[in-house]
């Protein structure tokens, strides 16, 4: 009994909520359990980022060509740049019964839900707006103007929180990671994701009922 269908889990949340850290912990603490989709983007690499690891860095022309070719599962414009999830990776893994994690913003997440209604959408938030502001200030990577802009984006995103299936309050990182993992494990137990297992059990039981198998 191991033929469950692969699921797509989408993690979104405010900038500064700790999505990236949660993802990193999931990959480190459950080796081989999760597959992280690597997005394409037109934004410039930040210090320490490598092409093909954090993102596939593309020019605007390359990205638009990929849109035309239908290479994306979803794509969106965020803060003046394109971001998109390559379709092939997600499709090939889910077909093999593997779970895929996407860390994407809200417009993209809602597109994924349209395409895969079974996708699990999780929204990560700090415990309060004040805590969010403090985290952005504490990071020290954004100017006050940029922080104001991030908070304005968060305000807009907050209007879509109810469209998500689960709310992850990231107060304690270990707890948040456990919540995400537990949700995905539990979602994997849904009967709707275990049709093959159910069919197998049924056909084996029938063999007994028909007397094809010795008692
Ligand atoms: P950053 O530039 O800080 O890496 O990411 C900015 C935002 O884009 C984050 O909210 C991140 O989750 C989102 N993002 C990253 N990859 C994708 C993607 O493939 N599609 C969409 N829709 N959003 C993405």
């Amino acid at each position: 009994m191991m033929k469950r269908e692969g699921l797509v889990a989408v993690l979104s949340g405010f900038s500064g909520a700790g999505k990236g850290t949660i993802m990193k912990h999931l990959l480190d603490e459950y080796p081989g359990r999760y597959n992280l989709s690597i997005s394409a983007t037109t934004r410039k690499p930040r210090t320490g980022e490598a092409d093909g690891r954090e993102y596939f860095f593309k020019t605007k022309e390359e990205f638009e060509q990929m849109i035309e070719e239908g290479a994306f599962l979803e794509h969106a414009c965020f803060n003046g740049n394109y971001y998109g999830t390559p379709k092939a990776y997600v499709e090939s893994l889910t077909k093999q019964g593997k779970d895929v994690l996407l860390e994407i913003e809200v417009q993209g997440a809602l597109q994924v839900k349209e395409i895969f209604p079974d996708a699990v959408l999780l929204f990560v938030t700090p415990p309060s707006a004040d805590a969010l502001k403090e985290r952005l200030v504490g990071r020290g990577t954004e100017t006050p103007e940029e922080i104001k802009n991030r908070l304005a984006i968060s305000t807009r995103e907050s209007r879509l929180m109810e469209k998500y299936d689960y709310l992850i309050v990231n107060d304690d990182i270990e707890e948040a990671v456990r919540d995400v993992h537990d949700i995905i494990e539990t979602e994997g137990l849904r009967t709707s994701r275990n049709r093959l297992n159910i069919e197998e059990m049924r056909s084996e039981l029938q063999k007994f009922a028909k007397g094809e198998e010795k008692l």
Side-chain angles (χ1 to χ4, degrees):
M1 266 230 203
M2 274 307 295
K3 299 189 196 84
R4 154 166 103 62
E5 288 152 39
L7 64 79
V8 176
V10 179
L11 212 69
S12 304
F14 305 129
S15 174
K19 296 166 290 191
T21 316
I22 293 178
M23 284 291 186
K24 199 176 169 311
H25 278 249
L26 281 173
L27 297 174
D28 289 350
E29 290 174 27
Y30 305 95
R33 169 71 181 80
Y34 294 109
N35 301 281
L36 178 63
S37 159
I38 299 171
S39 299
T41 183
T42 57
R43 94 148 156 69
K44 297 273 166 287
R46 295 187 186 126
T47 318
E49 287 183 338
D51 188 40
R53 192 178 63 200
E54 278 76 15
Y55 284 104
F56 295 108
F57 294 99
K58 303 283 175 197
T59 63
K60 188 162 173 272
E61 291 68 33
E62 286 169 339
F63 198 101
E64 285 171 349
Q65 176 73 29
M66 288 176 76
I67 298 177
E68 247 174 65
E69 289 165 358
F72 292 118
L73 185 64
E74 61 73 37
H75 66 274
C77 206
F78 181 88
N79 218 4
N81 288 301
Y82 279 129
Y83 293 83
T85 306
K87 199 193 272 179
Y89 180 78
V90 177
E91 286 185 348
S92 99
L93 282 168
T94 49
K95 272 190 199 131
Q96 296 169 47
K98 297 189 175 153
D99 297 340
V100 186
L101 301 176
L102 309 184
E103 187 214 317
I104 65 176
E105 54 68 68
V106 290
Q107 308 160 63
L110 299 182
Q111 289 174 50
V112 171
K113 191 76 176 175
E114 290 266 309
I115 302 163
F116 294 126
D118 286 347
V120 186
L121 267 52
L122 304 104
F123 195 95
V124 185
T125 176
S128 69
D130 252 355
L132 181 62
K133 187 203 76 182
E134 287 309 319
R135 282 188 200 182
L136 288 173
V137 173
R139 277 207 305 213
T141 49
E142 280 103 1
T143 62
E145 202 50 43
E146 279 164 351
I147 292 177
K148 246 174 112 178
N149 184 37
R150 294 272 167 167
L151 289 171
I153 294 174
S154 298
T155 309
R156 287 200 296 277
E157 289 175 338
S158 70
R159 296 187 191 120
L160 296 168
M161 284 164 84
E162 288 99 331
K163 303 247 182 221
Y164 281 72
D165 300 305
Y166 296 96
L167 186 68
I168 306 295
V169 180
N170 183 13
D171 196 1
D172 174 276
I173 181 72
E174 289 302 336
E175 209 171 298
V177 171
R178 217 169 27 247
D179 284 346
V180 173
H181 178 69
D182 289 350
I183 288 166
I184 297 174
E185 290 287 84
T186 308
E187 282 285 338
L189 300 176
R190 278 188 187 275
T191 51
S192 58
R193 297 189 205 276
N194 285 276
R195 292 188 197 100
L196 290 174
N197 286 329
I198 292 171
E199 275 167 30
E200 187 180 295
M201 175 60 80
R202 243 181 226 141
S203 80
E204 283 173 4
L205 282 169
Q206 261 170 10
K207 281 187 209 156
F208 285 121
K210 286 184 189 157
E212 289 169 14
E213 296 276 327
K214 278 214 179 88
L215 293 179

